[in-house]
C-alpha cells in the first residue's frame, strides 16, 4: 500500500483544533483533538517509551505504516529542525502520531518550525489530548493492533463504520515493506579523510546516521536497493557487507536471506542491525515471529553473553528471532551463537558466526536518537574487515 493510500488529508493550522478520534480494530476508541494535517490515516498502532528524539523516530523508515503512540506525556517542546531527520529524503515516515500534550512553545535554538507545522506541511495526521497511559497499557496487554486516526469531518462518521475501515487494512504480519522505503538507485556516501574500506550497505530502510558513522571511520559506503543480487555488488569489490534496519515482516524477505547466504559463502565480513539481524538469523537457519508489542524506545537493556557487558540500547522492532540466549547452534557456515538478549524479556538481540566473520544485533548502534553504549559495534566491523577483507594484499 502506498503512502498516498495510508495518508490522505489537507494541512490545517495547529490553532483550529479539529475533533479527532483514534480507533483500534478491536473497537476501542479514544477521542481528542487533531493536529498537523486533517483527514484519515491508517496503520499499526505501536508505542515508544522514548522521552526524547521524536523527530528521529518520526523520520525513521522502520516506522513506515505505523501509527506511533508516545508514552512520554509532553511532545513538541524542541520543535523541528533541519539536522535530525533520519530519512535521506527528509520526509516523515510514520503513518500518524498519537500524544497526550502538544507543546505550543518551541524551546530549542536549532528549531526551524514547530512539530505541528512540520506535520501539516508533510500532510501527516496526529491526535492529541488522549489518555496515552491507558492506550499504552492496552497495547501492552493486547498487543500492537491495526488502527486509524480520523480528524475533522472524517471523525463524525459512526464508530462501527470507522472500525470496519481500520480492520480492513492489510496486517503487518506478512507485510513486505522494505522495497517501499529503500533507495531506487545505488548512491555513495564518501568517507571523511582517506578511504580505508568499501562497504556495500543494503538499504532496507537505512537511517542517515549509519553511513555517517561509517564515514567517520574512513569507510566508503555504497548504498544499494533492497534485494540487489549478490552478483551485482561484486563489481564494487566490497571489504564488507552491511544490512540495515527496515520495516515489515522478515519472514517475507526470502531474497535478502538468499543474498546474505551468498555473502557468508564468499566469506565477506558481514554486519547487520535490526532487520539485518533477522535476515542474518534466517540465513543461519533461525525462524522469526511477531512480538506482542515489540521493543520501541531508547532505554532497552541488552546483555552480551560473550562478554557479560550490558548496554542500554535504542530499539524499534515488532518481530524477533527465535532462539535461546547464549545458545550455540550448527549452520551451513559453521557454528553460530545467540550473542545478545534483552534483559527485560529474553528476546534474542544478536547472533554471530563463531568464527567472527558475521555478526548482527537487533538494536541501533547509530544512536539516533538514543544512548551511545553500542557505538563500538562499528569499530568491531573495522577490526573484522582489517583482518578478513577479501581484498587484502
Amino acid at each position: 500500500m502506498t503512502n498516498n493510500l495510508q495518508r490522505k488529508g489537507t494541512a490545517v493550522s495547529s490553532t483550529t483544533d479539529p475533533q479527532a478520534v483514534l480507533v483500534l480494530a478491536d473497537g476501542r476508541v479514544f477521542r481528542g483533538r487533531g493536529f498537523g494535517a486533517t483527514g484519515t490515516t491508517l496503520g499499526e498502532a505501536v508505542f515508544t517509551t522514548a522521552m526524547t528524539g521524536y523527530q528521529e523516530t518520526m523520520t525513521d523508515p522502520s516506522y513506515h505504516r505505523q501509527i506511533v503512540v508516545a508514552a512520554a506525556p509532553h511532545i513538541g517542546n524542541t520543535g523541528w529542525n533541519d539536522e535530525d531527520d533520519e530519512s535521506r529524503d527528509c520526509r516523515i515516515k510514520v503513518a500518524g502520531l498519537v500524544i497526550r500534550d502538544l507543546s505550543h512553545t518551541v524551546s530549542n535554538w536549532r528549531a526551524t518550525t514547530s512539530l505541528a507545522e512540520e506535520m501539516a506541511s508533510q500532510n501527516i495526521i496526529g491526535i492529541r489530548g488522549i489518555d496515552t497511559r491507558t492506550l499504552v497499557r492496552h497495547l501492552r496487554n493486547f498487543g500492537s493492533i491495526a488502527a486509524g486516526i480520523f480528524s475533522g469531518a472524517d471523525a463524525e462518521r459512526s464508530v462501527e463504520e470507522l472500525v470496519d475501515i481500520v480492520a480492513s487494512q492489510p496486517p503487518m504480519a506478512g507485510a513486505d515493506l522494505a522495497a517501499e522505503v529503500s533507495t531506487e538507485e545505488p548512491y555513495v556516501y564518501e568517507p571523511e579523510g582517506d578511504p580505508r574500506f568499501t562497504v556495500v550497505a543494503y538499504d532496507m530502510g537505512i537511517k542517515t546516521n549509519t553511513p555517517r558513522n561509517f564515514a567517520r571511520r574512513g569507510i566508503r559506503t555504497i548504498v544499494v536497493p533492497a534485494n540487489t543480487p549478490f552478483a551485482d555488488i561484486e563489481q564494487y569489490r566490497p571489504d564488507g557487507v552491511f544490512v540495515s534496519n527496515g520495516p515489515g515482516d522478515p519472514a517475507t524477505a526470502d531474497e535478502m536471506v538468499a543474498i546474505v547466504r551468498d555473502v557468508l559463502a564468499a566469506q565477506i565480513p558481514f554486519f547487520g542491525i535490526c532487520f539485518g539481524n533477522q535476515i542474518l538469523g534466517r540465513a543461519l537457519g533461525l525462524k522469526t515471529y511477531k512480538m506482542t508489542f515489540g521493543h520501541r524506545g531508547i532505554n532497552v537493556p541488552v546483555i552480551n553473553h560473550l562478554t557479560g557487558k550490558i548496554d542500554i540500547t535504542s530499539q524499534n522492532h515488532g518481530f524477533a528471532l527465535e532462539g535461546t540466549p547464549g545458545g550455540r547452534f550448527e549452520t551451513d557456515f559453521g557454528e553460530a551463537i545467540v550473542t545478545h538478549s534483552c534483559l527485560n524479556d529474553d528476546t534474542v538481540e544478536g547472533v554471530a558466526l563463531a568464527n567472527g566473520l558475521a555478526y548482527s544485533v537487533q538494536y541501533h548502534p547509530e544512536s539516533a536518537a538514543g544512548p551511545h553504549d553500542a557505538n563500538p559495534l562499528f569499530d568491531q566491523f573495522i577490526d573484522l574487515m582489517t583482518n578478513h577483507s577479501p581484498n587484502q594484499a
Side-chain angles (χ1 to χ4, degrees), residues 141-173:
N141 291 342
F142 299 101
S144 300
I145 188 172
I149 302 174
F150 305 87
S151 62
D154 291 357
E156 299 174 3
R157 303 161 82 172
S158 70
V159 170
E160 292 77 11
E161 184 179 2
L162 297 181
V163 170
D164 287 343
I165 293 172
V166 167
S168 66
Q169 66 182 291
M172 190 60 70

Side-chain angles (χ1 to χ4, degrees), residues 198-200 230 233-234 237-242 260 262-271 353 356-359 381 384-385 388-391:
T198 296
V199 166
V200 168
F230 177 71
I233 71 168
E234 289 183 297
R237 300 185 69 247
D239 299 291
V241 172
F242 172 82
V260 170
D262 288 339
V263 172
L264 299 181
Q267 296 189 318
I268 299 173
F270 176 88
F271 176 28
L353 285 176
L357 282 176
Y359 68 100
F381 199 32
L384 179 55
M385 290 186 290
H388 297 285
S389 168
N391 301 316

Side-chain angles (χ1 to χ4, degrees), residues 347-368:
T347 297
V348 172
E349 297 283 354
V351 293
L353 285 176
N355 63 16
L357 282 176
Y359 68 100
S360 60
V361 294
Q362 190 60 60
Y363 44 94
H364 289 254
E366 81 285 345
S367 311

Side-chain angles (χ1 to χ4, degrees), residues 41-213:
T41 185
L42 303 176
E44 181 186 47
V46 301
F47 67 88
T48 174
T49 59
M51 297 288 287
T52 61
Y54 59 80
Q55 180 171 339
E56 292 92 332
T57 293
M58 294 176 69
T59 55
D60 179 354
S62 294
Y63 279 107
H64 175 55
R65 255 189 62 184
Q66 293 182 322
I67 294 174
V68 174
V69 181
H74 192 68
I75 301 295
N77 57 304
T78 56
W80 199 272
N81 64 65
D82 294 331
E83 303 172 47
D84 291 339
D85 291 332
E86 282 302 312
S87 57
R88 184 168 177 251
D89 60 4
C90 300
R91 303 295 297 175
I92 295 173
K93 301 302 181 182
V94 300
L97 183 65
V98 181
I99 65 174
R100 193 182 80 178
D101 295 325
L102 174 66
S103 175
H104 292 289
T105 301
V106 175
S107 303
N108 188 283
W109 64 275
R110 296 190 305 152
T112 55
T113 187
S114 72
L115 171 62
E117 289 168 337
E118 186 65 25
M119 289 175 61
S121 71
Q122 294 199 36
N123 200 27
I124 305 298
I125 297 167
I127 184 173
R128 64 178 181 85
I130 72 169
D131 185 351
T132 50
R133 292 175 300 178
T134 297
L135 174 56
V136 168
R137 179 173 292 182
H138 185 80
L139 297 177
R140 184 196 66 189
N141 291 342
F142 299 101
S144 300
I145 188 172
I149 302 174
F150 305 87
S151 62
D154 291 357
E156 299 174 3
R157 303 161 82 172
S158 70
V159 170
E160 292 77 11
E161 184 179 2
L162 297 181
V163 170
D164 287 343
I165 293 172
V166 167
S168 66
Q169 66 182 291
M172 190 60 70
D176 185 4
L177 302 180
E180 296 182 13
V181 298
S182 181
T183 181
E184 294 183 359
E185 298 291 338
Y187 64 91
V188 179
Y189 200 105
E190 295 292 353
E192 298 175 9
D194 295 332
R196 299 175 61 190
F197 299 107
T198 296
V199 166
V200 168
Y202 279 88
D203 178 9
M204 313 303 291
I206 197 168
K207 295 167 70 176
T208 57
N209 207 36
T210 297
R212 191 178 298 129
N213 268 278

Side-chain angles (χ1 to χ4, degrees), residues 6-54:
Q6 286 296 311
R7 298 192 291 262
K8 58 180 181 179
T10 56
V12 299
S13 166
S14 61
T15 61
T16 58
D17 295 333
Q19 295 284 344
V21 59
L22 171 71
V23 178
L24 306 184
D26 62 8
R28 194 72 186 266
V29 174
F30 296 83
R31 297 189 179 276
R33 312 294 294 194
F35 71 103
T38 188
T40 293
T41 185
L42 303 176
E44 181 186 47
V46 301
F47 67 88
T48 174
T49 59
M51 297 288 287
T52 61
Y54 59 80

